[in-house]
Amino acid sequence: MSVELLTLLFFGALLVFLMLGTPLAFVLGGVSVVFLYFEMGPIGFYLLASKMWETMQSPTLMAVPLFVFMAILLEKSGVANDLYDMMHQWFGGLRGGLAIGTVLICVIFAAMSGISGAAVVTMGTIALPKMLERGYDKKLALGAINAGGGWGILIPPSILMVLYALLTEVSVGRLFAAGIGPGLMLFVLVTIYIGGRCWLQPELGPALPVEERATWPMKLKSLKAVILPILIVTIVLGAIFGGFATPTEAAAIGVFGSLVATLVNRQLNTRVLHEASIATLKLTALVMWILFAAHAFSTAYTALGAQSLIADLMAYIPGGRWGALLFMLVILFFFGMVLDPVGIMLITLPVFLPVVRDAGFDPIWFGILFIIMMEVGYMTPPFGFNLFYLKGVAPPDVTMGDIYASVYPYVIVTLIGVALIILLPEIALYFPRLFYG
């Protein structure tokens, strides 16, 4: 049977089972194992088992449950309330200041948690009602939370980056370092957008009245809210980039820091620990199935010879390697509208990585572009995860249509950031070279 026909059957079977509603990890793993057996026979099972065993022995894998546990504890610790009060006092006197302060909190949360939903749910609960009460434009406020919440997978530590590193065999530390520059750049771009629009249209984000603005002694006193978050971020990232700890060891340090933060805010109890532990167990089990599916898919894909077929097809795309890169980013954009990021990772990375390497692109640099496109997927209709997280905590008068309409300017700003990283690769590669040589 020809490679072309096998490829059509393979992806056709995947599409049929996905349309039937079967979980993606099971579809990828199950279909891949069946095709692997018919292509290689029983030896394919041994090959798959050996790859899984090798992955299970990777110390990096331990970072996933640790970062998840840390994120959940921080979400329940009350740190976000203190941070928002501080931002309210410092930025409330500016046009659009509450929205800018909100996205700054999202940066801090991203540097503490490593997942996307934590900042969206927290800011949707705390910041959104207060912005709406102050007369902020609904779409401006919703979009700011949606965009800022997505940075949890870009600004280190990031669980999605850990999975990308495991699947592509690149350095987790270098990938973490590469996320710093783009994360800060996107914060600056979003801040410029919010500040610019509110300067031109003051009614979108009115400044607080003079009598309600905080005095300097109040502002200085409020800075104590950032002590614990900054300490956790500094210890975790400083340990990784300073070479004092591996990402896994730094994750364990982060868990200890989040326990201390929860204790200091008097939220540490058996109920919180139980809920955080159960949520961590569920997500870790999901990751194991994802890794099995990823190895089964890449092994079957290679055995079928489809990798060379895709590479040949890429050669027909106009524009050479830059045309191929643009094509891959467009595919990621449309996949992000209908699939979750981990599923996109499972489907595309075995196909894209050989093309990326053959084109001479840095896998770390491409990894940052990949993560940002996943971030765009989190906030684009119809199935962006952040859209539904936000709807779940938004006031009743906020409709799904409002949330959908709010994201488009922020998507454009984020895509401008992608273009800047393509034009200036040092935005992503400066910190890896600085920390690792």
Side-chain angles (χ1 to χ4, degrees), residues 168-180:
T168 59
E169 299 180 353
V170 299
S171 164
V172 178
R174 287 180 182 272
L175 199 57
F176 278 4
I180 297 174

Side-chain angles (χ1 to χ4, degrees), residues 64 137 175 221 244 293 313 406 416:
V64 174
D137 178 72
L175 199 57
K221 185 178 179 181
F244 303 112
L313 290 176
S406 71
I416 291 172

